[in-house]
Each structure stands twice: as C-alpha cells, then as structure tokens.
Amino acid sequence: MSTRRGNTQWVDCRNSTASTFKVNMNILPISLICAAASVACVAFTTPSHPGTTERTKRKVTFARDVAPILYTKCAGCHHEGEVAPFSLMSYEDARAKAPTIAAAVQQKFMPPWHAVSHGEFLNDRSLTAAEIATLKEWSEAGSPAGDLSKAPKPPKFNGNWHIGKPDFSAKPVKPFEVAAEGSDIYRCFVVPTNFDADRIVSDIELKPENRKVVHHIVVYVSTSGEARLKDGQDGQPGYSSFGGAGVATSGVLAVWAPGIEPITTPKNTGIQLPKGADIILQVHYHPTGKVELDQSEIGLKFSSKPVDKMIRTSLFGSLLISIPKDSTNAEVKADMYLAAPITVYDMFPHMHKLGHDMRLTATLPNGTKKELSRVDHYDFNWQTRYIYRQPVHLPKGTHVEVVSHYDNSTGNFNNPNNPPKPVWWGEQTTNEMAFEIFNYSLDDEHLLTHRTADAEFAVAGKSDSLGAIFDRYDSKRTGFLDRSQFIALISYYQVGAGRPGEYSPAGTADYFIYVAGKKEKGKIAKSEFISVMLLTHF
C-alpha cells in the first residue's frame, strides 16, 4: 500500500513481510568502508564482556574464545545487509579476516567507541585488554577452529531492521537526486501517518540508503499540514528547508548521524506521536563530486500499553563558535542551569570535522560533580549515542556545562579546508557545531496518575559562559548591548553567516533585537542575549 503527497510517494510497510531496504556496498563512503572493513561492531543490548578472566596457556580457538567476542561486539554491523562490507557470522568469515581483525582491535580503531567508559554505558562496544589479546593470539596461531559443534549460535537479526519488524515504515518510492557540486542540501521528506488516534512510539530506526551523501537526519513531527503543501513543488520528492523543517512542528522524534543506533525507549516510557501528524525527515546531503541518489527510510514500533512518562529529545550547546585558522586546541563552552528535575537516558556529542574532544559535566546543587560524557578523540564518521546503563537523575538547580576543543590545523587530516581558514558555527559540513543531543523525561510528570509538568527544563536567560561573552562587549556594564556593540559581536562570531543569501551582520543583529529585545528599544539585554544564543531546543 502506498500514499502520495505532491511528488512524494510513501510506501506503508506496516503489514508487509518483505524487506524494502538493502545496503548497496558499492555506494558506501570510502572512509566508512575503510573503517567498517576493520571490524565495526554494534551491540544494542550489551552483555558482560566475554573473556575477561585470566586466560590460561590453552590454545585459543574460534569456537571457545573468539566467537563470543565477535557475536556480541561485531555481528551487529557485520552481517548480511548491514553497513559493514563483510560478514563475521561464521568461522569461515572470521578466519578470512583474522589478520585485519587483530590489527584493527590492537590499534583500537575498531570497534568504534570513543567515550571514556567505566561500565556506565549500556551499549559499550569497546574491548577489554583480554579480548584484544585473545583476537591477536588467535590470528597469530593460524586461526584455529576448535570444536565448532560447541561454538555459540550466531545472533539472529530480524531482516534489515535492528528493532525487529516495524509496525510502520515508509520511504519515498522515487529516490532523491543529489547534485554533483554545490552547497550542502537540506531536504525535507513528508511522511503522512493518517493515524486516527495518538500513538506511543517505543522504537525508532532510521536507515539512510546512501551514506556517502547523507550527513545527518533530523525527524520532526508536525500537525499543521503545512509540509504536505510544500511537498514536491519543485518536481523532486520533498521540499528544501535550511536550519529546520520550515513549518510549525511539535517536536523532534529522532536524530541520525554516522554511528547512531536505533532508539528503544525504557520501560513505562514512550514518545508521543499525535493523531494525523506528519513525520518530516530533514536529510542533510553533502555533494560528493558526482550525482548521487538516496532513498532513506524510517521504521517505528508502537507501545501497546499506556506509559507513565514521555521521552523528549533536545539539544544543548551554543551558537557562538569562532575557530581561528591553524589553531590546534580552540575551545568552545556552553552551560545552563536546570529549572526542573529531569532524568537523562543518553548523550550524543555532536561536532563536525574539526572536532577533537568534548566533555559534559553536571554540578548538582550540593556541589557534587558528575561526568556525564567524555570523548577524548571525536570521530565524525563514527558518532555514537551513549546510552546510560542506569538513567541519570539531575535535580532542579543543577549546573550543566559542555566544553569542546577543535583542531583547525594542517595536522588534522579531517580538516575540510586546505589550507585551513577561520571556521564558525553553521550547518554545512565545512562549518562547525558544539552541542549534545539527549533524550530525557520530566521527573514531575506521571501520566498514569494524570500529573503533567512544564516541558521547559532550562532556566531562561542564565548561562555563565555566554554571560562572559556578553560582558566583553558590554564595555560600560549597563546590562545591555546597543546596536553597534551587538553588530560587533555578531560579526566576530559570524552568527547567521551559514544561512542562504547575502550575509549581513547588521541585518542579523537587527533581527535578534527585534525578536528578543523587549526590555529596552533598540538594545538587547543580557538575559535576552543568552536566550537566543544558548541552544536548548531544535
């Protein structure tokens, strides 16, 4: 069954038994193939580390020692139809790649896991020293099989969906054509659900078909009907919209970037999908130098029972980024204070190709500090949603700070500019970002007993780091920036420069003063400035 809106036709697969997706390994990006070829391992529910006890001098075999590691840490990517270019589902598969496996894990290039971890993350796919030694020894010994009749059974996967067969899935029948050259493309594809009642989503999976050109995907929810009117007006599926969905939305359903795993909500929680809502997939495409096609897909599973809390998706970071050329350790900070108690389920650090490291810390009202996430060696090609084994409760008044560093030198082989040039915040791959995306619930919300809570979790207009930037330009300490002071700040940080059209610092400053400058005409107050520059929502 299919639905057509504009020039976009969506296939409704909620009752289909046939898979509609298959990875074409000929169109994967070179960086991804090189990474995956070394052994990409994804585990969605990670059991305890096999092989962590002290090994004896017995001969290491596939059946007893290697299979448990590969099946729990690697098979998630290395099976038929997934992103990795070869399977590791059998002894024959693993034996053929034994030297590559050993080299990749010794370098800690694979499995892709970049957070500093002490067991607090449910999806930790890193290997222990003992596991690395086991794979090395097995390769050097000639990859002995052992008694294969006693080997663990390979894991079973539900076709091409990690979440299992979706209750609802959709993709445009007609692929979208990405031009060979030009600026990055932000294309919104409209998925009409036509549900006659609200649904509670329990699982979400996004499947970009052509990972060579898909930079990221943000999934919005809209009940306005505006997106349907925009769909297909230029003869291609969807419509163009830079920065957001371009229509009124009620929230974000999910986010995908390279390395991000599907979402499965915790017990007694779910994500609300209003009746009749449109799902909007905003796909960010980066041209590769030749014409490419993409037909990305979304799959959803629904909860059959009422839930006590809704999961919300938000982000936290700053618009104020200025990275000088040739700098090797440029720092960007953002911080906020919580206006309500929340429970955080995961963290997803996001930067672009200059990003080197990012650290997120929380200081509780009693002075206790918690490290929420720390990535010392960020990799744009393998971004990860770090899922807490035990959700983190943050009380009202908690101070949260994110600190990130960037390498804009020739020594950074990921640098998109050669020679390096100054870089500011923006949505192009060649721009930069500095924020954390996270899923959370409101502690004061209990839907089963009809208790609701204010969805605003951050204290409006309060941020130490952004306040310090404001003070540098408020030379007379009036608590306001006049138009000329604000233009100077906007010009230094190039706020808004990444948007289409001719850039005007004065025009951007005037816009923010018009929208936010309510306390004194022609000026913007410190709290107003923080409110527009601190990112706490999509």
Side-chain angles (χ1 to χ4, degrees), residues 385-399:
R385 183 170 66 95
Y386 299 104
I387 305 169
Y388 296 118
R389 191 176 299 278
Q390 296 295 330
V392 178
H393 300 280
L394 299 177
K396 177 180 178 179
T398 296
H399 178 242

Side-chain angles (χ1 to χ4, degrees), residues 15 45 71 90-91 98 110 195 209 281 310 315-316 318 377-378 401 467 499 523 534:
N15 295 315
T45 302
Y71 291 167
S90 70
Y91 167 66
M110 287 288 153
F195 298 137
E209 182 188 36
L281 276 68
M310 289 298 172
L315 58 74
F316 161 50
S318 172
H377 300 284
Y378 179 81
E401 181 181 54
R499 303 188 71 84
K523 298 181 180 180
L534 181 66

